[in-house]
Amino acid sequence: MPRYLSLVRIQENTIDIEDADAGFQERMGALFEEITKAGVMLDTAGLKPTAEATRLTWSDGKVGSTDGPFTETKEVVGGYALMRCKDKAEALEWSRRFLEVHPKHWTVGVELREIEEMPEREGEG
């Protein structure tokens, strides 16, 4: 079965977990329990703020680095989920359900990408 990476996109400075409604944590916990029991969720986590991040770039044969926060960026990856689903439709359904548990006044997006599986090399597997 294919694996999918769900990149959770947020506007970092506009979302505060303290601003969530009272049922948010319970809804999220119930969804994570369901998706885990279904054997779909392989890994998930939120990410620390971009103020604690560093970007590395390769240009003109050199590696450069920039420490966060990245003020030119409006939307950042705030978390991820690694899922194994039967097809893209199933991955999209879980992603839709994930978005729906969030407070209505938040803006949260998901970029869903199928992971390109590497062919097995001789002697592996």
Side-chain angles (χ1 to χ4, degrees):
M1 284 198 305
R3 293 180 302 157
Y4 293 87
L5 181 63
S6 172
L7 300 168
V8 181
R9 297 193 172 274
I10 62 170
Q11 292 182 1
E12 188 172 48
N13 298 325
T14 65
I15 291 184
D16 182 0
I17 195 69
E18 303 298 321
D19 187 35
D21 59 87
F24 173 63
Q25 296 289 356
E26 290 79 20
R27 292 191 309 272
M28 189 64 74
L31 178 65
F32 281 176
E33 183 176 335
E34 183 181 354
I35 194 171
T36 301
K37 283 182 179 178
V40 170
M41 184 66 73
L42 301 176
D43 191 25
T44 189
L47 301 177
K48 291 198 172 194
T50 60
E52 299 177 40
T54 301
R55 287 184 178 161
L56 299 176
T57 55
W58 175 254
S59 180
D60 295 325
K62 296 179 185 172
V63 175
S65 67
T66 305
D67 290 332
F70 311 116
T71 56
E72 74 282 359
T73 304
K74 290 183 181 180
E75 191 178 75
V76 299
V77 176
Y80 71 93
L82 180 60
M83 303 179 288
R84 185 178 310 276
C85 300
K86 63 183 176 194
D87 55 24
K88 187 175 182 180
E90 181 184 18
L92 285 168
E93 176 62 16
W94 284 113
S95 297
R96 181 192 62 76
R97 291 184 59 198
F98 168 78
L99 289 174
E100 289 178 342
V101 302
H102 288 82
K104 292 180 184 193
H105 64 280
W106 286 8
T107 299
V108 181
V110 167
E111 179 180 333
L112 185 66
R113 309 269 304 265
E114 184 173 350
I115 296 173
E116 188 170 338
E117 301 294 343
M118 301 297 291
E120 288 187 30
R121 297 186 297 203
E122 250 183 78
E124 293 182 0

